[in-house]
Amino acid sequence: MTAHADREGRTDAPGRIDAPSPSEASGPAGSADRAEVMGLAGAAHRAESAGRTGVWFIGARGSVATTATAGCAAIAAGLHPPTGMVTETHPFADSGLPALTDLVFGGHDTLDCPLSKRAEALADGGVLPHGLPSAVRAELDAADTEIRPGGPLPGDTRTDQELIAAFAADLTDFAHRHDLARTVVINVASTEPAQGPGDTRLPASSLYAAAALRAGCSYANFTPSTGLRTPALTDTVAAAGLPHAGRDGKTGQTLLRSVLAPMFLQRALAVRAWSGSNLLGGGDGAALADPAAAAAKNAGKERVLADTFGTAPEGEVHIDDVPAMGDWKTAWDHIAFDGFLGSRMILQTIWQGCDSALAAPLVLDLARLLARAHEAGISGPLPELGFYFKDPGGGTSAALAEQYAALLTLAERLRDQA
């Protein structure tokens, strides 16, 4: 994932962020001036283009966003099957989700490497199939033209409110130019350290999240970064009336934990210790070499166990940056547990995979589900999307089977309102 620039030198206080006005909260293409100009003819045209949905990535030139953009184009063109996309399975067939062919991509990033070059590098590393970047070059180039400079970059003197306004303007312009019915903002940037009590400015992830709300966009945070989870945005989130989901995508090691932990609990097997280790490279590995960023990442991994057992077992998760591994990751877990009459036993698991390829179908799922929820008038947090997150919020179950059942309930709700 793409790391945001250092934000040293920012000094103003992170006070409460102003809530969006009614026109701002109505949607990225819903300003009062625009509605007045369009009139009845505009309403009819919006009905014709209701399926066009913007997907705005924070970290748009990172591995996850590039893989998702290229993958969506490949699936839409019939070049590859939608493996890993839950929304392409039968239970979601009639839920009114936007078609993959109707997704329009853009985003913010602090880097300027063209998406086509980024995709070629991912293909060289085995993340994307050989030849795919060339096959979807037009779609990658189109998305690349919609990526705007992120920030704040070193030396940026703008206040939090000025940055939020600039980011929101990018979103509104994107929606207007493409005549989008709605836009979903998804944070797939590199993990930032947790906000400390002495921090005087909002973290970058929260600036982007606030901009999403101001532009009337639904929002998902696929990273452990702060995003909407800051007191400075509490009133804004409540006033916006927009759907939003989770924090920290669940792609590999924690996905397995969310299956195994309930198994031990349901079989009355006492887990004494649960330790883990991650070896990874790429931008994510470099970002997580920062102990503060690693701590933010590990909090989500440990939360799944604490939520399942009531308290976290003994043991920690260690993250090691191994640049030679590129975008691939190896995750190892060592579980010590007691059986009948105190018999001591051990379960070990090894997960080897590519985080970008695991995450990309999930963020496409989230974009479609949040867009449909927005269209259906659903607002506030969507605990039904906890299936995709380490930290879904709202006190939802940490067990994957129960989360999947909740997701299917949402699919039925959307189908009933289609």
Side-chain angles (χ1 to χ4, degrees):
M1 299 182 190
T2 304
H4 291 292
D6 183 10
R7 298 185 300 283
E8 291 182 359
R10 305 166 61 206
T11 57
D12 57 323
R16 187 180 68 186
I17 301 300
D18 294 339
S21 66
S23 62
E24 289 173 325
S26 64
S31 69
D33 290 343
R34 181 172 173 79
E36 182 178 349
V37 172
M38 293 183 73
L40 294 176
H45 183 68
R46 284 196 304 275
E48 294 175 0
S49 62
R52 287 180 63 78
T53 296
V55 181
W56 190 268
F57 288 128
I58 309 304
R61 291 192 168 106
S63 297
V64 173
T66 304
T67 303
T69 303
C72 182
I75 296 168
L79 300 177
H80 288 272
T83 305
M85 288 193 66
V86 180
T87 54
E88 283 293 299
T89 59
H90 177 71
F92 298 86
D94 299 315
S95 295
L97 304 182
L100 294 176
T101 52
D102 290 324
L103 300 183
V104 183
F105 293 91
H108 281 116
D109 209 313
T110 57
L111 300 181
D112 58 6
C113 176
L115 275 183
S116 58
K117 294 294 185 183
R118 189 74 184 92
E120 289 170 4
L122 291 173
D124 289 342
V127 179
L128 295 179
H130 178 72
L132 181 62
S134 297
V136 298
R137 176 70 179 264
E139 289 85 351
L140 290 171
D141 288 345
D144 195 66
T145 64
E146 298 298 339
I147 299 177
R148 299 294 178 262
L153 293 168
D156 195 332
T157 59
R158 289 175 292 178
T159 66
D160 284 355
Q161 285 289 353
E162 289 171 335
L163 287 162
I164 292 168
F167 296 154
D170 290 336
L171 283 161
T172 302
D173 177 64
F174 174 64
H176 286 179
R177 284 186 294 101
H178 292 283
D179 198 19
L180 302 176
R182 56 198 56 83
T183 300
V184 181
V185 175
I186 303 179
N187 182 14
V188 289
S190 293
T191 301
E192 65 190 11
Q195 190 175 15
D199 291 342
T200 58
R201 295 286 297 268
L202 286 174
S205 65
S206 296
L207 299 176
Y208 292 121
L213 299 183
R214 184 169 295 189
C217 305
S218 52
Y219 174 84
N221 186 3
F222 207 73
T223 81
S225 301
T226 304
L228 294 177
R229 305 279 185 90
T230 172
L233 294 180
T234 300
D235 292 344
T236 305
V237 172
L242 293 161
H244 56 90
R247 184 164 66 172
D248 200 2
K250 183 166 54 187
T251 58
Q253 183 180 40
T254 310
L255 176 68
L256 193 57
R257 287 181 168 207
S258 68
V259 175
L260 291 176
M263 176 195 75
F264 286 108
L265 186 68
Q266 292 161 3
R267 292 296 297 266
L269 298 171
V271 173
R272 293 183 290 107
W274 197 314
S275 300
S277 181
N278 283 259
L279 307 177
L280 69 161
D284 215 17
L288 295 174
D290 178 355
K297 183 75 172 178
N298 285 338
K301 294 178 179 291
E302 295 167 357
R303 184 176 294 108
V304 171
L305 301 181
D307 289 348
T308 300
F309 297 125
T311 183
E314 177 185 330
E316 298 179 350
V317 177
H318 297 277
I319 299 177
D320 293 324
D321 177 25
V322 185
M325 296 185 68
D327 285 279
W328 297 82
K329 180 173 75 173
T330 296
W332 168 77
D333 269 15
H334 178 98
I335 308 161
F337 64 100
D338 289 342
F340 191 54
L341 304 179
S343 300
R344 297 212 158 184
M345 308 182 213
I346 291 173
L347 172 65
Q348 293 185 346
T349 66
I350 297 176
W351 179 287
Q352 294 179 309
C354 174
D355 250 10
S356 300
L358 290 165
L362 306 186
V363 298
L364 292 174
D365 278 351
L366 286 167
R368 302 174 82 193
L369 290 163
L370 281 165
R372 178 69 184 99
H374 193 180
E375 180 186 27
I378 300 172
S379 63
L382 289 180
E384 298 93 338
L385 297 182
F387 177 76
Y388 295 98
F389 295 99
K390 297 181 182 74
D391 182 10
T396 58
S397 171
L400 190 69
E402 294 179 25
Q403 291 176 336
Y404 181 64
L407 182 64
L408 295 184
T409 299
L410 176 63
E412 293 175 2
R413 182 181 178 186
L414 296 175
R415 183 163 53 249
D416 291 343
Q417 297 183 20

